[in-house]
Amino acid sequence: DACPTKSVAAQSIEDSVVARMRALGADPRIVLETARKVRERVEASSGELAVELKVAQKDLSRLQSELIKAVATPGNGLRTDRLADLQEQIRAAERRAGEVRAELDALAAETVDEEDLRTALQSFDPVWQSLNTAEQTRLIRAVIDRIGYDGRTGRIAVTFRAAGFKAICAAAGEAAVGLEARV
């Protein structure tokens, strides 16, 4: 009763989302803009991660030097708890550097080629028709990040996942192989 918007049938939203996905392939400006935004996001995130990796590597180098110096200095009364603390800090720095490298690798995998994106978007309808309901659901979840509905205006806002378009390409390849096998 307190909600200012009226409810809407899920099928209406689903139909709108699928129609929007179909329309994407027909507009070359969308392909160019999407590819540009993905590149910008990847470059910005990569830059931030590269700085973080540099800091982690610098910390790791400092900690290793400190450990070597502490062990090599004779008779300094080095306590085992200090050694253990340095070793734990080194493990944490190594772990974080590895995580940052993995994030950089994942970002590199998200890069979307304009031609691949165009092909994926244009092949959406034949692929969509060849998929069963479970496969359609999987594809939508791979491609759609968020769907927002404004009940006051009746508008639906769809936010797509950049890496999800690679799923469309993969699905297009699988569907083509499946269709060839049936013929």
Side-chain angles (χ1 to χ4, degrees):
D1 289 339
C3 184
T5 65
K6 60 183 178 183
S7 63
V8 64
Q11 188 63 48
S12 297
I13 291 179
E14 290 174 20
D15 291 345
S16 295
V17 170
V18 171
R20 182 69 182 135
M21 290 177 70
R22 279 187 187 108
L24 290 175
D27 190 342
R29 293 172 303 159
I30 290 176
V31 173
L32 293 173
E33 184 65 15
T34 300
R36 184 185 66 76
K37 285 188 176 190
V38 168
R39 271 193 308 274
E40 286 175 359
R41 186 183 60 77
V42 167
E43 287 171 7
S45 296
S46 294
E48 292 168 7
L49 287 170
V51 168
E52 188 175 344
L53 180 60
K54 198 174 205 176
V55 168
Q57 289 172 330
K58 191 174 182 179
D59 285 345
L60 182 60
S61 180
R62 178 187 54 79
L63 290 166
Q64 289 170 335
S65 294
E66 192 176 326
L67 179 65
I68 290 169
K69 184 178 175 183
V71 170
T73 305
N76 68 352
L78 187 65
R79 297 184 348 213
T80 24
D81 58 335
R82 177 66 182 141
L83 278 177
D85 182 50
L86 283 170
Q87 289 172 333
E88 179 55 38
Q89 289 179 41
I90 288 170
R91 279 192 295 275
E94 288 172 337
R95 189 172 35 254
R96 183 60 194 144
E99 290 169 354
V100 171
R101 282 187 198 98
E103 289 180 52
L104 282 167
D105 291 343
L107 277 175
E110 280 189 24
T111 302
V112 176
D113 178 67
E114 287 176 25
E115 189 56 38
D116 287 345
L117 180 60
R118 183 177 296 108
T119 300
L121 292 172
Q122 289 173 346
S123 66
F124 175 78
D125 208 37
V127 170
W128 185 256
Q129 298 303 323
S130 70
L131 299 175
N132 64 37
T133 304
E135 292 167 330
Q136 288 176 346
T137 300
R138 184 175 52 90
L139 182 61
I140 289 292
R141 285 185 177 155
V143 174
I144 303 292
D145 184 41
R146 182 177 181 280
I147 300 171
Y149 172 68
D150 184 344
R152 291 184 189 129
T153 63
R155 295 184 60 115
I156 295 172
V158 180
T159 306
F160 293 95
R161 275 192 185 100
F165 288 107
K166 289 187 177 188
I168 291 177
C169 293
E174 292 169 12
V177 169
L179 289 172
E180 288 173 7
R182 288 183 214 148
V183 173

